[in-house]
Amino acid sequence: MKNKTYWIIAILTLSIISIAYSYTKITAPKEKPVAMDCAETPIASGESLFKPTIENKNRPAANKTPKGMAWIPGGEFSMGSNVEDESLCSLKGVTKDAAPIHQVYVDGFYMDKTEVTNEQFEAFVKATGYVTLAEIKPTHEEFPTAPLENLVAGSAVFTPTPAKVDLGNYMQWWSYIHGADWRHPEGPMSSIKGREKYPVVQISYDDAAAYAKWAGKRLPTEAEWEFAARGGKSGQIYAWGNTLKPKGKFQANIYQGHFPTEKGDTGEDGFIGIAPTAQFQPNSYGLYDIGGNVWEWTNDWYTADYYSVLSKDGKVARNPKGPDAPYDPGEPDLPKKVQRGGSFVCTDQYCTRYMVGTRGKGDYKSPANHIGFRCVQ
C-alpha cells in the first residue's frame, strides 16, 4: 500500500504540483531564520528603473460598472521587478523571470473586485452542470504506466510536515488527495459549507476559463493583472506600498511562522490558512486580496524569458498577450500558465510572490487548494 501511495503521488502530483514554486534550479538554503528574524524590506538593485504610470483619462459612467467589478483605466506603466532577493530572508531567485523592467501599455477594462467565490462558482455549476478537472478520474491513456487502482479523481493539498524539513523539496508538504476538489478543498472530509464568501480553489486553468466564458468575462492577461495590482503606483514592492507591515499590520493573508510545519502558521495576519475574500484594505483601484490568499490564473502562457523578448526592441509593448507557446526550462514537458499574487502558503522563508512585480507559474491542468482566479471584462 505504501508503494501504491508513493506511485500516485509521484506520477500524478508531478503533473499536478508544479504549482508556481518549482522555479529553475533554485537551490535550498541552509537553515533559514524564522519570520520575525527577517528584514522588513527586500534589497532592491541600485537606482530604480521604474517610470511614472500614465493612466488613461477616459472613464465610463459609474452606473455602467458591472456588479462586483472595478474600472481599471489602463495606460502605460513599468512592468516587472528589480527586487533581487527571492524573499525577505534572501533566498535567491524570485525575480530572474520578472526582469527586465519594461514599458507596457494596456487598454482600460473592468476587473472583479475579489477572487471568484465558492457561491459564485456554485451558481455556474448549477446552471451548466460543469465538472472540474479535479472531479474527473485520470485515464490510462494519460498515465499508461500507473496501476489502474491508482487512477482516482483528486487534487493537490498543502500538507504541513510534522517537523522542520529541507525547503529544497516541495513534495514534502504537498499531497495528492483522493476526493479533493472545489467542493472539498482539503479532501473528502472537508466542505465549503459556511465558506460561501471564500475564494473557490482546486481550479485548473480550463475550469477558470469556462467560468469566465459563462459569466460573459475572460481571464486577465498578465500585463492587465499587474497594471491593476499596482493601482496606478509605480515601482512599489507590494500592492499596498513598500513596507510589509505598515504601522505594524499585515495587509494580506500570507504565512507567518515556521514553514511548512504543523501549527507553524501563527496567523498573525488574522488567518491560518485560506481566508474569506475582502478581509484587508483594497488597493487604489478597489481590488481586494491582490496579494496573498490564493494564486490567480492569468491567460498568458509562461516562458522564463518573455520579458527579455518583449523588451528587446526598446519599444512600449501594447496590450501584450503572452508568448505563443509555453516553455519552462526547469520542467520543459509541462505547459504552464502564468499565475499571480501569491497565496496563504507564501512565506518570507520560501516564497514571497505576493510582491507585486513577481511571477508565478503552474501546469495549466494543475488545481490545488491555494489556486483560484478573478475575471476581467
Side-chain angles (χ1 to χ4, degrees):
M1 183 65 185
K2 182 178 181 181
N3 290 337
K4 291 180 180 179
T5 302
Y6 176 81
W7 182 270
I8 194 166
I9 292 175
I11 296 297
L12 298 184
T13 308
L14 279 176
S15 76
I16 288 178
I17 262 226
S18 59
I19 305 192
Y21 293 116
S22 50
Y23 276 74
T24 306
K25 295 181 181 179
I26 290 177
T27 301
K30 294 181 180 180
E31 180 67 21
K32 303 296 294 180
V34 296
M36 67 275 297
D37 294 329
C38 301
E40 181 82 1
T41 304
I43 302 170
S45 57
E47 184 178 351
S48 175
L49 299 176
F50 288 95
K51 298 178 181 179
T53 297
I54 304 172
E55 296 177 332
N56 292 329
K57 301 301 182 184
N58 57 312
R59 295 176 181 270
N63 61 3
K64 293 186 177 182
T65 301
K67 183 179 179 180
M69 303 190 85
W71 173 248
I72 312 300
E76 183 179 328
F77 76 112
S78 295
M79 183 172 178
S81 178
N82 66 349
V83 179
E84 292 183 332
D85 284 359
E86 161 75 74
S87 74
L88 306 186
C89 294
S90 301
L91 182 64
K92 301 290 186 180
V94 72
T95 64
K96 287 184 178 180
D97 64 350
I101 296 166
H102 55 291
Q103 293 302 111
V104 173
Y105 171 88
V106 294
D107 292 328
F109 57 96
Y110 293 102
M111 190 175 217
D112 289 340
K113 291 181 179 180
T114 70
E115 292 134 350
V116 173
T117 63
N118 285 319
E119 65 180 357
Q120 290 172 320
F121 197 80
E122 184 174 37
F124 158 62
V125 171
K126 286 182 176 179
T128 64
Y130 184 84
V131 179
T132 63
L133 185 148
E135 298 170 279
I136 300 173
K137 178 182 176 180
T139 67
H140 180 66
E141 288 71 25
E142 292 175 292
F143 302 96
T145 61
L148 293 179
E149 63 268 27
N150 287 350
L151 297 177
V152 296
S155 191
V157 175
F158 174 60
T159 310
T161 60
K164 295 180 181 180
V165 294
D166 181 348
L167 297 184
N169 180 10
Y170 61 86
M171 294 288 286
Q172 295 174 101
W173 56 87
W174 287 97
S175 301
Y176 185 86
I177 303 296
H178 179 202
D181 56 45
W182 73 273
R183 291 186 180 91
H184 312 94
E186 292 85 39
M189 302 304 293
S190 64
S191 170
I192 59 170
K193 185 177 181 180
R195 292 185 174 188
E196 289 78 10
K197 301 296 184 183
Y198 282 62
V200 65
V201 292
Q202 296 294 9
I203 298 297
S204 71
Y205 167 82
D206 287 343
D207 298 333
Y211 171 92
K213 183 178 180 180
W214 171 78
K217 303 177 183 180
R218 60 179 174 83
L219 296 179
T221 65
E222 183 179 16
E224 287 174 333
W225 192 99
E226 185 167 327
F227 184 94
R230 290 192 176 279
K233 312 296 183 182
S234 179
Q236 291 188 342
I237 296 171
Y238 310 107
W240 54 86
N242 287 317
T243 302
L244 180 62
K245 297 188 295 180
K247 297 182 179 179
K249 294 184 178 180
F250 280 99
Q251 302 299 304
N253 179 27
I254 56 178
Y255 191 107
Q256 301 93 40
H258 199 284
F259 181 85
T261 59
E262 295 173 358
K263 299 182 180 180
D265 187 352
T266 62
E268 189 180 342
D269 57 26
F271 302 94
I272 296 175
I274 194 170
T277 59
Q279 299 302 297
F280 299 89
Q281 290 297 310
N283 76 353
S284 299
Y285 289 153
L287 305 176
Y288 294 89
D289 306 313
I290 208 70
N293 213 22
V294 298
W295 284 100
E296 300 179 14
W297 289 108
T298 74
N299 199 55
D300 291 22
W301 287 116
Y302 173 85
T303 59
D305 64 349
Y306 182 59
Y307 287 12
S308 296
V309 172
L310 196 64
S311 61
K312 194 171 184 179
D313 62 6
K315 298 179 180 179
V316 176
R318 295 185 66 85
N319 296 309
K321 299 185 184 302
D324 294 332
Y327 182 71
D328 178 3
E331 292 179 300
D333 295 330
L334 285 180
K336 297 180 181 180
K337 290 283 186 176
V338 175
Q339 300 167 337
R340 284 303 205 105
S343 78
F344 66 88
V345 183
C346 283
T347 165
D348 51 15
Q349 296 161 59
Y350 182 68
C351 162
T352 55
R353 290 181 176 87
Y354 42 80
M355 294 192 296
V356 72
T358 57
R359 310 173 75 198
K361 58 185 177 179
D363 176 5
Y364 79 107
K365 290 186 176 181
S366 296
N369 72 319
H370 69 337
I371 300 175
F373 68 105
R374 75 177 76 208
C375 301
V376 298
Q377 192 178 71

